[in-house]
Amino acid sequence: MSQSVDHFALLPLYAAAGTAILAFLADLFLARRGAVIATTVLGGLATAVLALVVGAEPGTFCTTGACSWVPTWPAATTAVLFAALTVGVLALSTPALREGIAPAGEFCFLLACSMTGGVVVAYAGDLITLIVGLETLTLPLYVLVGLRRFAPGERVTTEGTSASLTFFLISVVSTAVTLLGAALNYAATGALHLALLTPATGVFRPLAGVGVALLVIGLAFKVAAVPLHAWAPATYDGAPIPIAAYLSTASKLGGVLALAAVVARLDAQVVMAILAVVTMTLGNLVALRQTRMVRLLAWSSIAQAGYILAALALGAPGVPAALAYAVLFMALEFVAFAVVVALRPPGADGGLLTDYRGAGRRSPWLGAALVLSLAGLAGLPPGLAGLFAKLSVVDALVQQNWSWLAAVVVLNAVIALAYYVRVAASLYTAPPRIDPVVAYPVPLDAAPHPRLPVSRPVAVALAASVLVAVLLGFAPQLLFDALT
């Protein structure tokens, strides 16, 4: 049996995969760092443009009543987001790549491969394609987390390798759980295509229930939900900061898309509600005790995942609010990581929270951008994007008579204010009066951490992400329309 393939509908996938191949070939034959980076940037932009050109089309790789590749406007929107995140992370990585801290060819190739997986997730029409896309999105990140060159005489550290190994081992477990859940559900229902997924009835209902629970728990790893959350803080902190940004945004977006595709069609309300409450509560409580910037952002992202899961606990009615929250959170989180990259030397880790004391005084624009991000993540003005995100989740829960879960969301949002306000306030706190080395008073304007120049790619990526966050805050309905 043969079937025709709509190559036009596959153009975003061809562009993403072609970007990875061209980056590899550019490194092989040209061996010029600038050419490899430019190739990857152009490929990412081409992927976004072709996703918009294709738009909504009839699916391909179809069987009776369903297709494995489904081009829709929400799929095109999320494909554009994956491409934009890839280009943005590459811009944040450019200073480190220029200094040779990571090999540009391997870095760009792996990043483009991960973008390809994100595009597959966006257009996936069956569970197999969805899981393959998620693994393609995730597999390159195992290497990117630990990809680093050490200069002669530089102290060799194992943080990146340890973070990569932690990420890999927990991911293997989650993938096995996901596949087992998909297999059990297929045995009970005989359906793999998302359009054909329905809750099982009769004697197979208990088997399908176990399968759905395992499937949801396995996919929850991608959003760093409890109990498969322990990898996130260690991995984020051990990875290069731009890769931590990609994990916190693109990887999380892929997990949200996968979960949304499943819970919109199968009954997983109880499991999702439990995961939501535990995830948001644990994430916020542990974030209160963090002293390192990237670890705080990691635990914050775990808590934010709990709010997304709360909307997904409603099933299909909560999917629009969950997707909108994920995108708005992604924009704000990227701004936060971009500011951290701008305030730290190339190749350095995120540092301690005390390293950011007075950063808002030394670099007013960077301080304002970070405050905007933190306010949005907390759900406060001027971060209107985050405010509308939380309101959309709470409104969806109240409309569906899940007021108790809405109350848990609000309570956790109040708890989160403590660490967001603490970090924001420290940006404008005066430097210490006493020099810790020579122990004599120093002027109040003496900066223990000098102001660093911000490279042009980082500045462009930060400005673009701030602009997107502000625009989405003032016009959130545009996002809702694009995702529904």
Side-chain angles (χ1 to χ4, degrees):
M1 177 181 177
S2 62
Q3 57 176 299
S4 61
V5 177
D6 185 357
H7 292 284
F8 180 74
L10 294 170
L11 283 179
L13 176 61
Y14 292 158
T19 301
I21 296 172
L22 290 176
F24 176 80
L25 294 177
D27 182 56
L28 180 63
F29 291 108
L30 300 179
R32 294 175 55 189
R33 186 183 301 116
V36 176
I37 294 174
T39 299
T40 309
V41 170
L42 292 176
L45 296 176
T47 301
V49 170
L50 288 175
L52 295 176
V53 169
V54 172
E57 283 283 316
T60 189
F61 300 112
C62 298
T63 184
T64 304
C67 297
S68 294
W69 188 266
V70 186
T72 61
W73 280 115
T77 301
T78 50
V80 169
L81 291 173
F82 281 115
L85 286 170
T86 301
V87 174
V89 167
L90 186 57
L92 298 185
S93 305
T94 299
L97 294 177
R98 285 175 176 171
E99 294 194 7
I101 295 174
E106 290 87 337
F107 186 94
C108 292
F109 170 74
L110 292 169
L111 193 61
C113 288
S114 187
M115 176 180 69
T116 304
V119 172
V120 173
V121 172
Y123 288 93
D126 64 66
L127 287 177
I128 299 301
T129 304
L130 188 66
I131 295 173
V132 169
L134 277 174
E135 293 309 305
T136 306
L137 170 64
T138 306
L139 281 171
L141 299 178
Y142 303 150
V143 183
L144 287 171
V145 166
L147 189 64
R148 179 184 172 89
R149 286 174 175 161
F150 292 94
E154 183 181 1
R155 186 175 67 90
V156 178
T157 61
T158 60
E159 284 83 358
T161 304
S162 176
S164 180
L165 185 60
T166 300
F167 186 23
F168 171 74
L169 291 177
I170 300 181
S171 180
V172 168
V173 175
S174 72
T175 302
V177 172
T178 303
L179 291 172
L180 178 59
L184 292 178
N185 189 73
Y186 175 73
T189 64
L192 281 176
H193 287 85
L194 300 178
L196 303 178
L197 286 181
T198 55
T201 58
V203 295
F204 292 109
R205 185 173 181 179
L207 180 64
V210 174
V212 171
L214 292 176
L215 184 60
V216 167
I217 291 173
L219 294 176
F221 161 83
K222 305 299 181 183
V223 300
V226 178
L228 296 174
H229 68 287
W231 64 274
T235 301
Y236 286 24
D237 202 24
I241 301 174
I243 298 303
Y246 197 79
L247 284 168
S248 186
T249 55
S251 180
K252 195 176 292 288
L253 178 61
V256 172
L257 291 173
L259 282 170
V262 172
V263 302
R265 298 165 176 86
L266 300 176
D267 184 12
Q269 290 185 337
V270 175
V271 176
M272 295 299 293
I274 294 173
L275 288 177
V277 172
V278 177
T279 300
M280 70 176 82
T281 304
L282 182 65
N284 281 321
L285 292 179
V286 179
L288 292 171
R289 300 178 56 84
Q290 298 307 304
T291 58
R292 295 184 61 81
M293 175 62 82
V294 173
R295 280 186 176 267
L296 183 141
L297 291 175
W299 283 104
S300 164
S301 73
I302 292 173
Q304 300 288 342
Y307 305 141
I308 298 172
L309 296 180
L312 291 178
L314 299 174
V319 167
L323 293 180
Y325 194 107
V327 175
L328 294 169
F329 156 77
M330 179 191 70
L332 294 165
E333 188 84 347
F334 188 89
V335 171
F337 275 102
V339 173
V340 172
V341 170
L343 290 174
R344 303 290 291 170
D349 60 16
L352 299 170
L353 293 179
T354 53
D355 294 333
Y356 296 83
R357 289 188 64 183
R361 295 186 173 196
R362 299 189 300 272
S363 304
W365 290 108
L366 294 179
L370 187 53
V371 168
L372 172 70
S373 172
L374 295 173
L377 293 173
L380 295 174
L384 295 179
L387 175 62
F388 284 117
K390 284 186 169 56
L391 288 177
S392 66
V393 170
V394 172
D395 179 67
L397 291 170
V398 173
Q399 291 293 332
Q400 298 296 319
N401 296 320
W402 284 56
S403 298
W404 69 271
L405 189 52
V408 175
V409 169
V410 172
L411 177 61
N412 273 275
V414 173
I415 295 173
L417 289 176
Y419 57 85
Y420 288 129
V421 171
R422 175 164 60 100
V423 175
S426 71
L427 298 174
Y428 300 94
T429 302
R433 287 177 175 270
I434 303 299
D435 188 299
V437 177
V438 298
Y440 64 81
V442 297
L444 284 177
D445 59 352
H449 304 284
R451 178 178 178 178
L452 298 173
V454 181
S455 69
R456 183 173 299 175
V458 174
V460 171
L462 176 58
S465 58
V466 168
L467 179 62
V468 169
V470 171
L471 290 177
L472 291 179
F474 280 101
Q477 190 59 44
L478 295 177
L479 178 61
F480 281 94
D481 294 340
L483 294 173
T484 56

